[in-house]
Amino acid sequence: GFGAEERRSHELCTLFCHLYPNTTLKNSLSLQHLRIVGWNTALTFPLSLAGGSLWRRCDFLDAMSTLGSLIIEDVFEVQEVDPDGKKFQKVSRFHCKSDYFEFEMWLDVNVDIYPLMTHDKFNLGLAYTLSLDGTLDEGYYDQSKQATLADKYEYVMYGKLYKYQEDTTSGQLRVEVYISFGGLLMLLKGDPSHLEGLKLDSRVYLLMRKV
């Protein structure tokens, strides 16, 4: 049977599904991570291992607040590094595919700051603001030291969505989204229903955290 802590965690899961009916909760067989899978988001966070594998209420509620601030989030795996050859010493282009929404992505990353290798997995989120309550910000660094969405991630970039186009070369309708982060480029390809929250000419934060 479940202990009191585990029962409480399951009650929180039930509450979450009631508040967000378009989401589901999934945990791994090893009970080391909890997955929150929504319409445009798929979050992963670790579970407490103290006294056995227990779901942590603080992480659960933290993930609930994160879910509301993001346009998109999914777990990506690096398929290739610099598929067209190395162009710059401190920048690599990564070809990645996502676990849940079948996104395909090509992303330039400053590997001098944030190194990645083939088969590395990471959470990647896109947001219009770093404010946890969804309030739009001015796009500059906030020195107030208040908690922001960036606190939950390891690598953050800020850029502009400059191109949004349809692609039917695969035989089915896909959308291609192009974002420039000060010259570091991102191409995200996926089902239109998962990318309709992204608008042309909008300013977007990219946030990454290794899984």
Side-chain angles (χ1 to χ4, degrees):
F2 294 120
E5 190 76 11
E6 289 171 307
R7 282 197 300 272
R8 176 58 180 156
S9 297
H10 280 285
E11 290 171 3
L12 284 168
C13 291
T14 302
L15 173 62
F16 184 92
C17 292
H18 176 72
L19 294 174
Y20 300 91
N22 292 324
T23 64
T24 57
L25 297 173
K26 298 182 179 181
N27 60 280
S28 66
L29 292 177
S30 63
L31 288 179
Q32 293 180 340
H33 292 85
L34 178 66
R35 299 286 300 157
I36 298 180
V37 182
W39 178 57
N40 278 349
T41 56
L43 311 182
T44 297
F45 59 92
L47 309 179
S48 169
L49 298 179
S53 298
L54 305 178
W55 296 355
R56 292 170 54 187
R57 290 195 299 272
C58 58
D59 282 344
F60 181 85
L61 296 173
D62 185 55
M64 286 173 62
S65 64
T66 300
L67 191 65
S69 303
L70 294 164
I71 310 166
I72 291 169
E73 182 161 21
D74 203 344
V75 175
F76 287 81
E77 181 176 354
V78 176
Q79 307 293 312
E80 298 176 275
V81 180
D82 293 314
D84 299 319
K86 184 75 171 175
K87 307 295 184 182
F88 302 98
Q89 180 180 355
K90 296 185 178 182
V91 176
S92 283
R93 177 162 293 176
F94 296 92
H95 174 215
C96 310
K97 292 184 179 180
S98 79
D99 286 353
Y100 284 83
F101 299 109
E102 299 182 346
F103 292 131
E104 189 169 14
M105 178 178 68
W106 290 262
L107 178 66
D108 295 340
V109 175
N110 185 333
V111 292
D112 195 47
I113 298 173
Y114 199 69
L116 289 169
M117 299 176 62
T118 305
H119 303 307
D120 278 355
K121 283 196 168 190
F122 56 90
N123 271 66
L124 183 141
L126 296 176
Y128 287 137
T129 176
L130 295 180
S131 174
L132 293 176
D133 63 7
T135 304
L136 293 179
D137 56 38
E138 300 297 325
Y140 56 82
Y141 179 65
D142 181 2
Q143 301 186 47
S144 67
K145 296 185 178 181
Q146 292 184 349
T148 71
L149 194 59
D151 298 332
K152 307 172 190 295
Y153 294 86
E154 302 164 340
Y155 182 78
V156 180
M157 295 194 291
Y158 184 64
K160 182 178 181 179
L161 196 161
Y162 67 91
K163 188 175 180 180
Y164 189 104
Q165 68 180 23
E166 294 182 351
D167 173 38
T168 57
T169 56
S170 65
Q172 64 184 76
L173 179 61
R174 307 279 279 178
V175 167
E176 295 180 344
V177 175
Y178 296 79
I179 304 175
S180 175
F181 302 97
L184 299 182
L185 303 180
M186 171 185 182
L187 165 57
L188 182 64
K189 185 184 295 188
D191 188 293
S193 66
H194 298 314
L195 295 171
E196 63 184 12
L198 293 168
K199 305 302 181 184
L200 186 65
D201 294 329
S202 58
R203 298 286 179 173
V204 180
Y205 290 98
L206 177 148
L207 307 103
M208 294 173 61
R209 177 181 66 242
K210 290 181 182 177
V211 175

